Every structure is written in structure tokens, then in C-alpha cells.
Amino acid sequence: MSIPAQKPGTDSAMPPASAAGLPAHELIYRQLREQILFGEIAPGEAVTIQGLCLRLGAGMTPVREAIRRLIAEGALQFQGNRRVTVPQLQPSHVGEIIYARQWLESHLALRATQNAQASDLAQLALIDQRLDQAIARGELHAYLRHNYLFHATIYSLADAPVLANMAEGLWLRFGPSLRVMIGRIGTQNQPDKHKDLLACMRTGDAEGAARAMREDMLQGMEQIRHILESPGQRG
Amino acid sequence: MSIPAQKPGTDSAMPPASAAGLPAHELIYRQLREQILFGEIAPGEAVTIQGLCLRLGAGMTPVREAIRRLIAEGALQFQGNRRVTVPQLQPSHVGEIIYARQWLESHLALRATQNAQASDLAQLALIDQRLDQAIARGELHAYLRHNYLFHATIYSLADAPVLANMAEGLWLRFGPSLRVMIGRIGTQNQPDKHKDLLACMRTGDAEGAARAMREDMLQGMEQIRHILESPGQRG
DNA sequence: GGCCCAAGAATATGATCAAATGTCTGCTTG
DNA sequence: CAAGCAGACATTTGATCATATTCTTGGGCC
């Protein structure tokens, strides 16, 4: 996704308010994206433009633009006759996503290992530590957010904007189902390969990092596939 | 307010235009997409909302939605200060796209071979025949369109919507530069592997089809990379 | 050369029009 | 007489437009 370029403003003091100065459609896009990835909106749920206008207290135009953008990214789908919903992930789609993430994420991890500075590794370790906290406390929202942040940080380290963009796009597709899966199984039963991955990155073992990333991804995706194929689809 | 809207049973004069009934933002999106892929708008060129409103004779809202969508797909980029342009492809991006298309297109060709019916193969052969005509006549526009159509048809045959979507998204990124490249080199010097690919598909040799597709892609992308790295970037 | 002002373009709002869905009523039929 | 279906209506929602507002930018003036 495109992080808007440095504010061409005159001053140097960028206030910590992250939401300052950005256009409304950008803010709405981010809010909706968050809610789809981590939050309130479940797979299969329908969203209405006017409902969002009320919920977010915004006008129609920015909401419409944000929705178009999310549809283009696959986070929402146009359900034929004017109805927009969060897509239900199909088991066959999981297979496609696994195939794509295998070569995307492993390559991104490889390149990130080659580029990573000590400060980057420290930041990743911090994120992973917070992730462990969220697991221990069973905090669903924090778990999802930090897990995503861990991967997204590696994407940005890879210095491969096109591939990173593709990988982030895939998160929007399986993210909602990931949330359902974790919500049902719990954060406790989520072993990850982040420690292995970080160890490889520290020693510069790019191939090993790629392998760890691939295994980490596979673990999660197979659980999603299992949930989707089991009876008792969401209600 | 209570004017009973006559049910559209009073048809009689339904224009055969295929573009009928679709919302304006969808039509504008398609027009812009065409123009970026095959047509008038060159890499680096800036597009203004109001300019498009005049050129396409549409209101602002549909134009804005179409632009957001194209930005999300990477066909346009948000140039910081409220300026929207067609991105200039960087040589490093070409490397990323090659890496992605290797996996994507070969897999899609493999699956398409497994799914293809005789009628599908006939349609592909027809497209390729028209492509050869365009090459022989040096028709740039027809060449680009049929080349894209050939690949897009294979994507749709693969029955893998997520991967096909990713592959089509990549076309929007290198399409404009492909047009520049062909425009400079000419259609004559564009050997393709389409005949090999079709032969493999006819015999059910999925692996061979994947290999041919990969080689076809590599030929084109390397030429794009060469053009980008050569002096005299277009202006 | 720097600052102010004006023009133009993008953002955002609300209103208006059209279409679709869901409901309600009345008629027909078993 | 009750139940089911059909047709119209009303409400909800999406699509589009005209307009106000803000921000950038370029030129003119001091």
C-alpha cells in the first residue's frame, strides 16, 4: 500500500497525531481496512454506503472512494446487485493464497534479511515480544495486529514495493478468516516460527529466514483451511 | 414522489451496446484502464480529475472513484501534492515483476492446460492468429490488445481467481512501458512462444505449457528492462 | 528576492434521482 | 373460510451532480 509521501509542509515538527492533515477518504480507508482485518466486520457481512456514512460520521463521497479502493484490493466484493460484502474465503482460494505466499513471503524474508540493520532487528524483536504478550493474555485484537505488523515490517525491509504490495493485498483476503480462526481456536494454540526467523535474520542466513517464514505462513494457512472445511461455518 | 416508475417491461428500444446498464464509474474505469494499457496515456503523464471530466463528459464522483480504483491497482500513483500520474516503471520494479510473473503465469498456464476444452483452445488459436496479423501489419494497438487478451484468456481458463487477479494487476504496472517498448522496437521484432504454448496445451503437456509461458514472459520483460536501462527515457 | 494575492484544482457535502427489496393488501382458489 | 400468490407501494440504498471549501501554485508587487 502506498504510504503518502512526506508531508511537503514547511515545518519539521510533525505532530504525533497520525491522523492529521490526511484527506478524509484516506482516513476512512484506513479505518475500514482495520475493521476488516482485525475488527468488527466479519466475513459475509454486508456493508452499506449510507450505513458507513452514519457509523463513521462522514459524507458519501469519501466513503464511496474508500469502498472502491477496498474492492479493488479484494478486501470487499461487489455482490452483484449493488450489495457490497466482506468476501467469504473459499477453501480453493486458500490453496491459491498458500501458493502465492510461499514464493512471495519467502522472497521478501530473504531480501529483508539482506537489508536488515541492527535497529530493524530490534524493532522486529520488540513486535514479537508484544505478540507473545498478546498470546499469553489471550488478547485477540492485539495478537492479530502485532502478527500483521511483524510481517508487514519484514515486507517493508525487503525494499521490494511491488512484491510487498502484493503480499499486503493477500492479507486483506485471508485476514478476516484468520480472525475467525483465531477467535475459535484461541491465541494459545498458535505456534509461530518468528523466533527461528529472527535467529536466521540475525546471523544473516537469508535462506533459513525464507524457510522459516514459509513454515510460519503454512502453519497459519493450514489452520485457516481446516476451519473453513470443518462444519459450523460462521454465524 | 409517488410517481409509479414504469417497470422496464416497455423495452423495445434496447441498444445493443454492451456497455449498457453499467454504472458510470465502472465505464469510466474501463475506459481509463484501456487508455493506460494500450492507448493514449503515457508513463509519467499526469491526469487531472477535471480534465478527465471534460474528456469523458462525466461528473466528478464517478471519475474520482475510477481513479481511486486504478491507484489501488497500481495503474496510477498518487504523486504527493494532489497530483495523479501514470507511474514510471523502475528497472528494479521490472525485476520484481519478473520474479512474480515467473510463478504466477507458469502456474496459471499449467492449470489452464488442465482445464482447457477444445473450444477454449480454438479461441486461443484465433486470438493468436489475429495477433500474428497485427504483427505482420505493424499495428501497435491491435498487437497490444491481442497479446493481453491471449494472456488474460489463459488466466481465466486457470480457474484461479486470486492468482489471476494478481497477474492482471501486474499487467497494469508494466503495460504502459510495454507499449513504449513496442512502439520503439516495433511489432516485428517480437518473437513469442505462443505457438509452443498452444502445442503443449493441445497435447495436455501442462509442464511444457508452464515453461513456454515463462519463456514468453521473460522475453518481453527483458526487452522492457533493456529499454528502461537504455538512455533516452521517454519524456 | 521575498511576500501576498488570485486562480485553478482537488476535496468534501448535501441534495436529487433511480432502482431494488421487502411489505402489505386484496383477490383467487382449494 | 383460510391460505397462497400477485401486484403495487413505500422504504431503503446506491448513483450522480452541482456547489462550497480548502489547498497548492504561480505570478505580480513591494
Side-chain angles (χ1 to χ4, degrees):
Chain A
M1 68 168 290
S2 55
I3 297 166
Q6 281 289 2
K7 192 91 198 301
T10 56
D11 54 332
S12 59
M14 191 63 172
S18 62
L22 290 171
H25 62 82
E26 181 73 28
L27 296 178
I28 293 171
Y29 164 77
R30 295 187 185 184
Q31 283 185 56
L32 269 181
R33 191 177 197 273
E34 289 262 315
Q35 294 186 2
I36 292 172
L37 267 182
F38 312 125
E40 291 81 278
I41 311 178
E45 193 170 331
V47 296
T48 68
I49 293 178
Q50 302 192 348
L52 290 178
C53 291
L54 295 179
R55 244 181 53 187
L56 305 177
M60 315 202 72
T61 312
V63 170
R64 289 178 66 82
E65 293 181 41
I67 287 181
R68 291 297 160 222
R69 195 167 157 190
L70 289 164
I71 290 176
E73 291 172 341
L76 294 174
Q77 71 179 348
F78 195 74
Q79 198 82 299
N81 39 355
R82 296 166 139 200
R83 200 153 227 105
V84 174
T85 64
V86 179
Q88 299 258 17
L89 202 58
Q90 308 292 323
S92 65
H93 295 173
V94 177
E96 295 179 52
I97 293 173
I98 287 178
Y99 177 78
R101 288 189 76 194
Q102 274 184 0
W103 47 265
L104 266 178
E105 307 240 356
S106 59
H107 188 68
L108 289 168
L110 187 140
R111 294 187 57 153
T113 302
Q114 292 165 345
N115 294 338
Q117 308 295 316
S119 60
D120 302 324
L121 293 172
Q123 191 187 351
L124 277 173
L126 179 63
I127 295 171
D128 191 50
Q129 182 183 327
R130 295 213 180 117
L131 182 56
D132 286 339
Q133 278 183 17
I135 292 176
R137 297 178 186 166
E139 294 172 350
L140 173 60
H141 192 89
Y143 172 82
L144 294 168
R145 183 179 298 275
H146 286 100
N147 186 36
Y148 171 75
L149 190 56
F150 186 85
H151 286 254
T153 304
I154 289 175
Y155 302 161
S156 72
L157 285 178
D159 191 33
V162 176
L163 299 178
N165 196 331
M166 295 175 77
E168 301 221 14
L170 287 175
W171 272 85
L172 285 175
R173 294 188 181 266
F174 67 79
S177 296
L178 178 66
R179 178 163 52 79
V180 171
M181 186 267 283
I182 303 284
R184 210 176 296 182
I185 294 183
T187 58
Q188 323 294 333
N189 306 317
Q190 291 303 317
D192 61 46
K193 299 279 184 180
H194 294 182
K195 301 289 180 297
D196 297 351
L197 177 53
L198 282 176
C200 290
M201 290 184 76
R202 286 199 190 90
T203 62
D205 177 9
E207 297 283 346
R211 207 176 315 119
M213 180 65 118
R214 180 174 171 279
E215 288 169 4
D216 179 72
M217 177 275 293
L218 273 177
Q219 280 184 356
M221 294 307 293
E222 288 298 348
Q223 286 199 16
I224 290 179
R225 196 207 306 251
H226 184 255
I227 283 283
L228 288 180
E229 283 169 348
S230 74
Q233 231 83 324
R234 77 164 298 279
Chain B
M1 308 318 146
S2 50
I3 298 169
Q6 269 298 351
K7 257 303 177 185
T10 61
D11 42 308
S12 71
M14 194 59 177
S18 64
L22 290 171
H25 60 82
E26 181 73 28
L27 297 177
I28 292 171
Y29 164 78
R30 295 188 185 184
Q31 282 184 58
L32 269 180
R33 191 178 197 273
E34 289 262 315
Q35 294 186 1
I36 292 172
L37 267 182
F38 313 124
E40 290 83 277
I41 311 179
E45 193 170 331
V47 296
T48 68
I49 293 179
Q50 299 194 344
L52 290 177
C53 291
L54 295 178
R55 244 182 51 189
L56 305 177
M60 313 200 79
T61 312
V63 170
R64 288 176 65 83
E65 293 181 43
I67 287 180
R68 293 296 163 222
R69 193 168 159 189
L70 288 164
I71 289 176
E73 288 172 343
L76 295 174
Q77 71 179 348
F78 195 74
Q79 198 85 298
N81 44 357
R82 292 172 150 198
R83 198 154 231 106
V84 174
T85 64
V86 179
Q88 299 258 17
L89 202 58
Q90 307 292 322
S92 64
H93 294 175
V94 176
E96 295 179 52
I97 293 173
I98 287 178
Y99 178 78
R101 288 189 78 194
Q102 276 185 359
W103 294 103
L104 271 174
E105 306 240 357
S106 60
H107 189 68
L108 288 168
L110 187 141
R111 295 187 56 153
T113 303
Q114 292 166 344
N115 294 338
Q117 308 295 317
S119 61
D120 302 323
L121 292 172
Q123 191 187 352
L124 277 173
L126 179 63
I127 295 171
D128 191 53
Q129 183 183 327
R130 296 213 179 116
L131 182 58
D132 286 339
Q133 278 182 17
I135 291 176
R137 297 176 185 167
E139 294 172 348
L140 173 60
H141 191 90
Y143 171 82
L144 294 168
R145 183 180 296 276
H146 286 101
N147 186 36
Y148 171 75
L149 189 57
F150 186 84
H151 286 254
T153 304
I154 290 176
Y155 302 161
S156 71
L157 285 178
D159 191 34
V162 176
L163 299 178
N165 196 327
M166 295 174 77
E168 301 221 13
L170 287 175
W171 273 84
L172 285 175
R173 293 187 182 267
F174 67 79
S177 296
L178 177 67
R179 178 162 53 81
V180 171
M181 185 269 282
I182 304 284
R184 210 176 295 180
I185 294 182
T187 57
Q188 323 294 333
N189 306 317
Q190 291 303 318
D192 62 45
K193 300 279 185 178
H194 293 183
K195 301 289 179 300
D196 297 349
L197 177 54
L198 282 176
C200 290
M201 289 185 75
R202 285 198 191 90
T203 61
D205 178 8
E207 297 283 346
R211 206 177 316 119
M213 179 66 116
R214 180 174 171 278
E215 288 169 4
D216 179 71
M217 177 275 293
L218 272 177
Q219 281 182 356
M221 294 306 294
E222 289 298 348
Q223 287 198 17
I224 289 179
R225 193 200 317 244
H226 184 255
I227 283 283
L228 288 181
E229 283 168 348
S230 74
Q233 229 85 320
R234 82 171 311 281

